[in-house]
């Protein structure tokens, strides 16, 4: 709402053919000082917050950030074999170690509205393969904004201690900055989602279909 009010005020000032800075100074009750409030009394308390938020919003919108699918949002995998699908029932690790297993499990998570857990885990794996310092910082920021920020609709569930460590390390991110968070989400998927996946119609139908084909 704050940004929409600001844009509306800017358009009004443009129509009046007044320079934006002058208009802002005039609107602050005649105080033209550089520290005057920007637009109106109801926005005073959010001026500094808007500045910080605008700076953060500008970062992922650079040209290099446009292909956000550079972080794995989709994983191509071959059709799994009967032996492979049967092995998924042995352990969560055997499910997660194969592309087909991750893809099938992610499909199940989507039905439970928790797909962001797998997407976050995959993005962390992708970050660990990056060696370029600038790309590490860029990808870490994207992951933070997509899955760690409390403003994100895809925020994953992390405890406050892990979140605080990430916030401190974001000043100089490394490829393993999200290791603790990734382990926490992996454990969550293992204990919470994996048992339901094994009992789901998605898994049982896939297993049955492959069994029939093998016969």
């Amino acid at each position: 709402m704050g940004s929409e009010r600001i844009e509306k005020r800017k358009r009004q000032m443009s129509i009046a053919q007044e320079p934006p800075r002058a208009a802002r100074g005039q609107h602050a009750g005649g105080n033209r000082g550089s520290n005057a409030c920007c637009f109106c009394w109801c926005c005073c308390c959010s001026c500094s917050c808007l500045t910080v938020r605008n700076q953060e919003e500008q970062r992922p919108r650079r040209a290099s950030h446009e292909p956000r699918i550079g972080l794995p949002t989709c994983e191509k995998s071959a059709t799994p074999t009967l032996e492979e699908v049967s092995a998924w029932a042995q352990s969560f690790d055997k499910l997660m170690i194969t592309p087909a297993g991750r893809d099938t499990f992610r499909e199940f998570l989507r039905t439970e509205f928790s797909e962001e857990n797998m997407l976050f885990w995959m993005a962390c794996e992708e970050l660990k393969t990056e060696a370029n310092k600038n790309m590490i910082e860029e990808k870490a920021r994207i992951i933070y904004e997509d899955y760690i920020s409390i403003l994100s609709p895809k925020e994953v569930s992390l405890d406050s201690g892990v979140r605080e460590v990430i916030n401190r390390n974001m000043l100089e991110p490394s490829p393993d900055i999200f290791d603790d968070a990734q382990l926490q989400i992996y454990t969550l998927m293992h204990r919470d989602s994996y048992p339901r996946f094994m009992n789901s119609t998605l898994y049982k139908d896939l297993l049955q279909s492959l069994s029939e084909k093998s016969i």
Side-chain angles (χ1 to χ4, degrees), residues 105-123:
F105 185 54
R106 177 188 165 193
E107 184 179 348
F108 169 76
L109 293 178
R110 190 180 298 122
T111 67
E112 293 202 330
F113 305 100
S114 58
E115 182 185 15
E116 66 275 3
N117 290 333
M118 177 63 79
L119 293 177
F120 171 69
W121 187 89
M122 292 168 59

Side-chain angles (χ1 to χ4, degrees), residues 126-163:
E126 173 71 15
L127 178 62
K128 291 176 184 178
T129 66
E130 187 58 63
N132 182 279
K133 185 176 184 297
N134 292 332
M135 290 301 297
I136 290 172
E137 293 179 351
E138 180 177 316
K139 289 184 177 182
R141 186 167 292 110
I142 293 175
I143 292 173
Y144 183 92
E145 292 171 352
D146 281 353
Y147 304 109
I148 309 298
S149 172
I150 61 175
L151 301 177
S152 173
K154 296 185 292 184
E155 177 194 6
V156 295
S157 178
L158 299 172
D159 63 47
S160 59
V162 170
R163 195 178 294 275

Side-chain angles (χ1 to χ4, degrees), residues 31-188:
N31 185 353
R32 300 175 184 270
S34 59
N35 294 326
C37 185
C38 301
F39 300 104
C40 63
W41 66 270
C42 61
C43 295
C44 291
C45 62
S46 61
C47 288
S48 58
C49 295
L50 288 172
T51 300
V52 173
R53 180 173 294 182
N54 287 337
Q55 291 174 349
E56 293 181 350
E57 289 177 348
Q58 289 171 2
R59 288 170 182 163
R61 294 178 182 176
R62 293 178 300 175
S64 59
H65 282 187
E66 289 178 0
R68 295 177 77 89
I69 55 174
L71 297 178
T73 58
C74 182
E75 191 172 24
K76 295 181 179 179
S77 60
T79 301
T81 64
L82 175 60
E83 292 75 14
E84 188 176 1
V85 174
S86 298
W88 297 350
Q90 298 175 14
S91 72
F92 184 59
D93 292 339
K94 289 188 176 182
L95 168 68
M96 291 290 286
I97 202 171
T98 64
R102 293 190 295 270
D103 188 61
T104 306
F105 185 54
R106 177 188 165 193
E107 184 179 348
F108 169 76
L109 293 178
R110 190 180 298 122
T111 67
E112 293 202 330
F113 305 100
S114 58
E115 182 185 15
E116 66 275 3
N117 290 333
M118 177 63 79
L119 293 177
F120 171 69
W121 187 89
M122 292 168 59
C124 291
E125 289 294 291
E126 173 71 15
L127 178 62
K128 291 176 184 178
T129 66
E130 187 58 63
N132 182 279
K133 185 176 184 297
N134 292 332
M135 290 301 297
I136 290 172
E137 293 179 351
E138 180 177 316
K139 289 184 177 182
R141 186 167 292 110
I142 293 175
I143 292 173
Y144 183 92
E145 292 171 352
D146 281 353
Y147 304 109
I148 309 298
S149 172
I150 61 175
L151 301 177
S152 173
K154 296 185 292 184
E155 177 194 6
V156 295
S157 178
L158 299 172
D159 63 47
S160 59
V162 170
R163 195 178 294 275
E164 288 174 5
V165 171
I166 292 175
N167 287 337
R168 290 197 300 268
N169 292 339
M170 278 300 293
L171 295 174
E172 192 172 347
S174 63
D176 59 357
I177 182 175
F178 301 111
D179 274 6
D180 290 343
Q182 186 184 20
L183 177 60
Q184 195 168 104
I185 295 303
Y186 188 91
T187 303
L188 175 65

Side-chain angles (χ1 to χ4, degrees), residues 168-211:
R168 290 197 300 268
N169 292 339
M170 278 300 293
L171 295 174
E172 192 172 347
S174 63
D176 59 357
I177 182 175
F178 301 111
D179 274 6
D180 290 343
Q182 186 184 20
L183 177 60
Q184 195 168 104
I185 295 303
Y186 188 91
T187 303
L188 175 65
M189 292 190 294
H190 182 191
R191 295 178 179 177
D192 185 60
S193 303
Y194 174 64
R196 292 197 298 274
F197 169 72
M198 296 310 305
N199 291 316
S200 67
T201 56
L202 175 64
Y203 175 73
K204 292 179 178 179
D205 289 349
L206 176 61
L207 186 62
Q208 181 179 353
S209 174
L210 292 174
S211 299

